[in-house]
Amino acid sequence: MKAKPLEQGDLIEGLKSRDTKVIDSFVDQFSRPLFGVILNYTKNPSDAEEILQDTLLRVIRKIDTFRQQSDIWPWMKRIAVNNSIMWLRKHRRYTEIQLDDWMPRFREDGELAYPIFGWSGDPEEVYLNRELSSQLYEAIQSLPFQYRAPLVLRDIDGYPIRQIASLLGLKEATTKTRIHRARLFLREKLARYHSGRT
Amino acid sequence: MKFRNRHSDLFTCEECIHLLLDYADGTMAPEVRRKLDEHLSACPPCQHYLRSYTSCTEMARQLRDQEAQVPAELQDRLKSFLREQVNLPWPKTPRRRRAKWSRRS
Ligand SMILES: [Zn+2]
């Protein structure tokens, strides 16, 4: 049986003194939400496990720098996000994908060149939404790192463009272009999926 | 040839879609937004396109802070790894440049 979740104060004190019981409940309590954060950046299981392991260790080692007054989750999550980005930058896998094939096409006069497939987005369609959501996850994971990272930081984790640019070492304009292209790709993927043209 | 006054021209679909990020994120200058709205109100394909574009970002938002399964066997491995590692000295790797954004929030 799992122990009751620890109060934040007890957790922090326990981690500071490297109390093994507290370390165990820290893993019980936070490995699932942290793994959730990490799996948005990579679905590769061995990468994700390495990142999780390193994140947990870093949280413990950096616990002295945490300011007690605030909620610990955003602080912990930021370590997971930073770690995911650093790890994936270092272990970048080459993804063979041509985003151009998924961009909208226009006629010479600038009008959209083909019938636009989309979907209703009706919240009533629970099954369809769940289906689309897992398609969306797969589509995000199929993006090359240089598009996936800014997209996940922006659209899933909600960081401002300025912070994303600084974290990835990009210009803000480049960051925005990548997010936009990634969104166009995802939209087209889902639209084609939804209209059965995959 | 008459000089084209860009400001009175309607946006094309291509210009609209190029600007969708700022439109959807609400970071667009009001006068540009007005021109875009003007195009949208007359262009069902772009309306449709915008709806599915924003629907993607809304669905992505739902992936935030979702827990993931961690198999018991992995949890056990993590626990023994941490017990082993926490008391070892912090490896003396060269100090990483601090990301600017970590100062915020
Ligand atoms: Zn249009």
Side-chain angles (χ1 to χ4, degrees):
Chain A
M1 210 183 78
K2 270 177 193 157
K4 241 177 52 182
L6 286 168
E7 295 289 332
Q8 182 168 310
D10 297 334
L11 173 75
I12 293 166
E13 285 318 306
L15 292 185
K16 278 185 179 167
S17 60
R18 311 292 194 248
D19 179 328
T20 50
K21 278 218 174 63
V22 172
I23 290 175
D24 285 357
S25 16
F26 164 62
V27 173
D28 290 333
Q29 222 171 308
F30 288 101
S31 58
R32 270 168 292 124
L34 287 170
F35 208 36
V37 170
I38 294 161
L39 284 171
N40 284 328
Y41 290 88
T42 177
K43 73 164 186 174
N44 177 296
S46 63
D47 284 349
E49 286 176 22
E50 287 278 351
I51 298 167
L52 176 62
Q53 175 176 293
D54 193 52
T55 300
L56 293 167
L57 183 60
R58 265 169 207 274
V59 167
I60 298 173
R61 287 192 162 148
K62 288 179 158 190
I63 195 72
D64 287 321
T65 68
F66 173 70
R67 291 189 311 279
Q68 296 257 11
Q69 304 88 310
S70 46
D71 179 16
I72 198 163
W73 170 247
W75 178 80
M76 237 185 241
K77 178 176 171 179
R78 199 165 56 224
I79 294 178
V81 170
N82 271 315
N83 242 354
S84 304
I85 298 291
M86 281 182 324
W87 173 273
L88 294 168
R89 260 179 148 169
K90 226 188 311 172
H91 301 83
R92 206 181 283 204
R93 287 188 171 74
Y94 189 71
T95 329
E96 189 74 58
I97 189 179
Q98 204 41 267
L99 253 56
D100 287 345
D101 298 343
W102 301 85
M103 294 297 115
R105 287 186 223 295
F106 302 95
R107 300 193 315 226
E108 243 169 65
D109 61 5
E111 300 296 300
L112 273 162
Y114 57 96
I116 303 304
F117 293 96
W119 57 92
S120 71
D122 185 349
E124 293 288 300
E125 294 180 68
V126 179
Y127 174 75
L128 171 69
N129 288 336
R130 203 177 310 145
E131 195 54 35
L132 277 181
S133 167
S134 79
Q135 288 296 319
L136 177 68
Y137 178 77
E138 291 304 322
I140 291 171
Q141 295 307 316
S142 74
L143 281 165
F145 174 77
Q146 67 267 37
Y147 290 95
R148 187 171 74 243
L151 188 279
V152 174
L153 286 163
R154 178 76 197 119
D155 285 350
I156 299 184
D157 286 324
Y159 289 105
I161 302 281
R162 198 168 34 83
Q163 286 186 355
I164 300 170
S166 144
L167 181 68
L168 298 174
L170 298 172
K171 290 197 175 109
E172 286 186 26
T174 312
T175 309
K176 278 165 86 164
T177 304
R178 291 204 187 160
I179 294 168
H180 183 57
R181 278 174 70 80
R183 286 178 180 173
L184 295 179
F185 166 81
L186 298 175
R187 197 218 70 88
E188 189 62 26
K189 268 262 178 181
L190 293 200
R192 288 191 203 176
Y193 171 80
H194 190 238
S195 67
R197 298 198 324 155
T198 42
Chain B
M1 199 173 91
K2 257 178 39 187
F3 192 72
R4 234 168 90 107
N5 179 359
R6 284 200 58 88
H7 294 282
S8 63
D9 283 342
L10 281 175
F11 277 152
T12 63
C13 296
E14 189 168 10
E15 287 168 317
C16 280
I17 285 167
H18 185 66
L19 293 167
L20 279 189
L21 183 141
D22 281 320
Y23 188 79
D25 290 11
T27 48
M28 181 170 261
E31 67 277 11
V32 184
R33 189 176 183 96
R34 217 181 37 238
K35 278 185 74 178
L36 213 149
D37 279 330
E38 212 178 325
H39 177 95
L40 280 172
S41 65
C43 182
C46 276
Q47 291 167 19
H48 201 45
Y49 200 94
L50 171 66
R51 214 172 314 132
S52 45
Y53 181 95
T54 49
S55 162
C56 273
T57 61
E58 282 156 15
M59 280 196 294
R61 171 68 180 78
Q62 289 162 17
L63 294 170
R64 185 188 298 179
D65 290 348
Q66 276 192 9
E67 294 201 344
Q69 288 299 325
V70 178
E73 167 264 333
L74 173 57
Q75 290 215 0
D76 290 342
R77 249 191 298 138
L78 291 168
K79 286 173 187 172
S80 38
F81 169 82
L82 292 174
R83 283 179 195 201
E84 228 173 76
Q85 292 288 316
V86 284
N87 290 314
L88 298 180
W90 180 249
K92 285 273 174 274
T93 44
R95 248 184 104 72
R96 222 180 267 107
R97 189 178 64 88
R98 225 181 127 99
K100 271 187 230 141
W101 73 321
S102 65
R103 277 185 233 128
R104 263 182 64 107
S105 78

